[in-house]
Structures are given as structure tokens and as C-alpha cells.
Amino acid sequence: MNSTTLIVYLFIATLSLLNFVRIFALLIGSDIYDIIQILKKRNRSNRYRPLISVVIPAYNEETGVIRTIESVLGSTYSNKEIIVVNDGSTDRTQKMLRAFQKKNPGTISIINQTNAGKAVALNRAILSRTTGSLVMVLDADSLLHTDSLKNMVAHFQDKRVIAAASNVKVLPSKTTLGLSQRIEYLISYRMKRSMSIMNMEYIVGGVGSTFRRSILIKVGGYDTDTMTEDIDLTVKLIKRFGNTKNRIHYAADSVAYTEHVLSFGSLVKQRFRWKYGRFQTLLKNKDMFFSKSKKYDKKLTWIQFPYALFGELILLAEPLLIGYILWVTVAYSDMTSLLSVYVIVSTFIFLMLLGENTETTKTKASLSAILPLAYVLMYILAAVEFAALIKSIMRHKQLFGNTVEKSSWEHVERSGKDVSVAELPG
């Protein structure tokens, strides 16, 4: 065995070991989260019923905005207000909102403004119109489960919680791309349980993201200088208030739904925005890396933040690793390496699915039936992430330069299919 081959083997072995440790930690952490939440529910008071303001920003959302509003109105939690911000839509969004308000007086408040971007639209509603002590932000192409608000509010009985992410699921789909995204969301949001319990969470995504209004007021709402205003806001909150005395939480039982992106190209566009926006946020807050400040949990600043960048390096090298495994398989007629990876990925997905208590037995059974294809489905998304990473790298001059790429609307095609609250899975 020559030195080059030995180095490759050691590199692959090291990555395999790190991934094994990470997978084990995620599985155990997710189960610990579930146990802790069961114990906490027993001590929660039903008298805690603060007003929650649901803010729905909308730009050209004629296909889904009414459906979104109806899902909030169908909530079992009654102490709520709904504020919709129409950010200069050029389609029928404004007309549909006006008609809905006229037909259902007193149910929603509407703000119409000249197009200024999502972050500006959210700030206008949050800083000048909301009156609730809690604020939930809900995309205009998403849906809430009937118990989502009630369950989310309950998590804020813990006074340390200043922000919480919802459990976002992809609506059922029979397409290959749709199934890929559905499994991906299930795994990634299952992993958020571990991130929350380890106090390493730093992404409170836009769909169903909830905050204490007083906290948002103190930081002046969302910044407008990154592509992903939600990730940027979360890190902004951590930087200002820390995450030792305060917590960025994941509310697994607060379920929201979104449609999958319909085409490969649109999915790359979406993931580029997420990835590039995260790079912007991490660069903007680079002083938090390896920070010795006591207000930050070292697991976040010494492990999670660096791993976010290390993971991108691994993704960059992934085609070479896959190519090497395939070469070994063909050259030596040895399927061991390929089968090992296949079994590990499939087992991990199965265990994540098995432990997801917000899915029905029927859903688990149907998704388990396609597990033999899960490895392929995950690599479709890996190809998407790789394309988004290359696109981000090609924009490195803007990233490290003085160019300010502001928060804007992300529009990818959606089916806008008619899904009633009663038809939502779970």
C-alpha cells in the first residue's frame, strides 16, 4: 500500500468515525429531548394563554395566502391576532386579501406597502402593529396544524426561551423530488431535537418561527443585509442576549407544513439562498467563533459554528469520495464499501423516522416502504446542495467584498393545491 492510498484510507476512516459519533449523538439526543418534553408537559399550566401575533408576509402569494390564513383561523388556540403584510404584490394577492377580510370581518389585519423586501415587511408589522407578547412568523405558502399555536405557546412558559422553531414538514407528494424533500425535512427537524437539548441551535427558520415580542423590539427586528433574514435574526439574538441564561429552542410538537419545491433548478435556487445567506451571517458574526464569553455555550461557538463550515468542505470533497468508493467497488469487485454506506444511511433514516412521534403509524409505514430508495433520494439532494455550494463559491467576491446583498423574496414555483386543515397529516 503506497502512502497516497494510506492517506485516503485514513481520511475516509476518520470521516466515518466522526459521522458515526455524530449520528449516535443525534439519535440519543433526540430521544433525551422527547423524554424531557414529556416530563415538562406534566408541569405546564393551562392558565398560560398570552396573546400571540401571527405575522404573514406576502409578495405575489395568490396561490396560497388564503389557505395559510384559514389554517391559522382553524387553530385550537383562540387568543391570537393575524396580521398580513402585502409587500407590493403585482398579482391578485391584495384583491384576495381584501375580499377575504370583507367576507370575514375582524379576523385579519392587513398592511399594504410598496415592495421593500421580506425583512422590511416583517419589521413593519412586528414593530408597529403587533400587540401580542409572542410573535409567530408564518410564510404565506405554509400551513399550521390545528394544535400548533397552542403547543408553541406552552414552550414559552419557560422564561429562558426567547425564540423557538416549529417542526416543519413537507406535504405528501408522489414525485421523486417531493419524496426526497419530505424525508430530508423529517431527518433535519428530528435532528433539531438534539441541537436544542445540546444548546447548539442557531437557526429558527421562517415557517412558524416564534419570538418574545419584547426581545424583537430590543434588537430592532430583522436586519436587511443578508439573504436569509431568519438565520441572521437568530444569531443576532444569540449575540445580543447569549444562549446560556437564555435559550433558542425547538418546539417539536408545534407542527407546520410547507409544499415541496417542484423542480431541480428551483431547489438549487432555494438552497443557494439558504447556504449563501448562512455564509453571510457567519461572516458577519465571525467574532463569535471560538468565543470565550461566558454568555455563549461553548458547544455552539467552539463546535457547531466551526462544523457548519467544515460540513461544507466535506460536501465539496464528496464527489471525490463517492468516486473513490465506486472505483474500489469496480476495480476490486468488492461491494463492501458501497453496501456499508448504504446500510448506515438507510438505518439512520429508519431510526429517525421510527422515533418521530409527530408522525402517524400509517405515515411511518408508508415512508419505511421506500427506505430501499432513500439512499438515492438523499444523493439527489446532495447534488442540489453541491450545486448551491459551487454557486456560493462563485460569489465569493461579493461575500468578502463590500457588496450588501439584502434580504429579498424567494419565489419558487409551488402547486398551491387546495389542502384543508382537516386533511393535514399527523
Side-chain angles (χ1 to χ4, degrees), residues 137-154:
V137 173
L138 188 64
D139 289 351
D141 59 358
S142 55
L143 297 160
L144 283 186
H145 187 276
T146 52
D147 290 333
S148 182
L149 285 179
K150 178 186 71 175
N151 293 339
M152 176 59 81
V153 166

Side-chain angles (χ1 to χ4, degrees), residues 172-184:
S173 169
K174 295 180 180 179
T175 68
T176 301
L177 204 56
L179 284 171
S180 299
Q181 291 170 71
R182 191 177 183 195
I183 292 175
E184 177 202 26

